[in-house]
Amino acid sequence: MNRPTPPQSLLDAEAILFPVVAPAPELKAWAHETFLAETGELHNPQHAHLIDSDIEFMWASTAFEKKGRVVLGQCEQVMLRAGGWHKVRLEQQYREWFGRVPKFLITVAADYSAECSDTDFCALVEHELYHIAQAVDIDGEPKFNDEGMPVLTMRGHDVEEFTDIVRRYGASAGVAEMVAAANKQPTVAKSNIARACGTCIRAVA
Ligand SMILES: [Zn+2]
């Protein structure tokens, strides 16, 4: 399955000058089919808790700079820290985009996504997915809510966890191109994704 490309309207000069965001249902579908579904080409059982989760995806027309780094992707637990009409505005905006206020939101830079390699794109999206973990109880057992659904929470993650992704890509059969790409590029380039993730940068701050 080909990876989704951002809509042209987000790559136009206007969208570079005045950055915009747009819902990315095609990116959501692709992430589910590629990483979460058991039949996915790059299925990762470590994301099993995300299969029925409430995550939405967005494109942002441009990367942005924060603390001297270029942010290419970000994962957040949606919190409406607002009241009154401010809250109404935020909720309305989310409903117009997604039909509801989602629990988690992953945003990736369209300008970068349009140009980067397949490997880099997969690494970026999976990096953001890795930020959403299943909460554990006091004994370290995975937590479920009253409906039997996994309780999800944000987590930071270090370089070690991320190089696991590269190791995994290298080990999967049937993705020869990706393996070749993963082997060709230095591992450090992959672990650098954390340097290009708004969520990671915020965690460091
Ligand atoms: Zn990150």
Side-chain angles (χ1 to χ4, degrees):
M1 186 183 180
N2 285 338
R3 79 188 218 218
T5 46
Q8 189 55 44
S9 60
L10 287 190
L11 303 171
D12 290 344
E14 176 86 5
I16 307 295
L17 201 57
F18 301 105
V20 286
V21 293
E26 71 280 31
L27 181 51
K28 177 185 178 180
W30 175 83
H32 273 267
E33 285 175 46
T34 304
F35 300 115
L36 306 187
E38 277 183 31
T39 51
E41 242 186 310
L42 296 171
H43 170 67
N44 186 348
Q46 292 203 52
H47 301 308
H49 56 284
L50 300 182
I51 286 172
D52 292 312
S53 60
D54 188 13
I55 309 175
E56 283 295 346
F57 289 72
M58 294 200 97
W59 301 110
S61 56
T62 59
F64 68 94
E65 217 177 293
K66 188 176 185 180
K67 297 184 205 294
R69 299 186 192 175
V70 176
V71 173
L72 302 173
Q74 187 162 294
C75 177
E76 58 204 282
Q77 189 160 14
V78 177
M79 308 259 195
L80 303 180
R81 291 190 186 86
W85 289 327
H86 185 188
K87 189 168 184 226
V88 171
R89 278 205 307 276
L90 291 176
E91 285 179 342
Q92 179 179 348
Q93 181 66 82
Y94 277 112
R95 274 201 309 275
E96 282 169 12
W97 281 330
F98 306 116
R100 70 188 190 291
V101 181
K103 289 208 169 66
F104 292 89
L105 182 64
I106 289 175
T107 308
V108 296
D111 53 355
Y112 174 79
S113 300
E115 301 287 333
C116 70
S117 69
D118 283 348
T119 308
D120 287 343
F121 185 72
C122 290
L124 177 62
V125 174
E126 211 181 348
H127 176 103
E128 301 310 335
L129 288 172
Y130 256 105
H131 274 301
I132 310 171
Q134 183 166 3
V136 291
D137 65 19
I138 202 159
D139 302 316
E141 294 298 319
K143 255 194 197 172
F144 293 88
N145 66 16
D146 293 342
E147 283 94 54
M149 300 292 289
V151 175
L152 302 181
T153 182
M154 288 290 295
R155 72 166 160 205
H157 58 84
D158 51 26
V159 168
E160 210 172 301
E161 279 183 14
F162 195 70
T163 49
D164 271 351
I165 295 177
V166 175
R167 230 173 272 134
R168 192 174 73 79
Y169 284 178
S172 353
V175 282
E177 242 172 78
M178 200 157 283
V179 171
N183 290 339
K184 230 186 288 163
Q185 287 170 7
T187 305
V188 67
K190 295 289 156 286
S191 49
N192 264 347
I193 291 278
R195 293 183 55 84
C197 169
T199 307
C200 284
I201 292 173
R202 198 166 40 203
V204 166

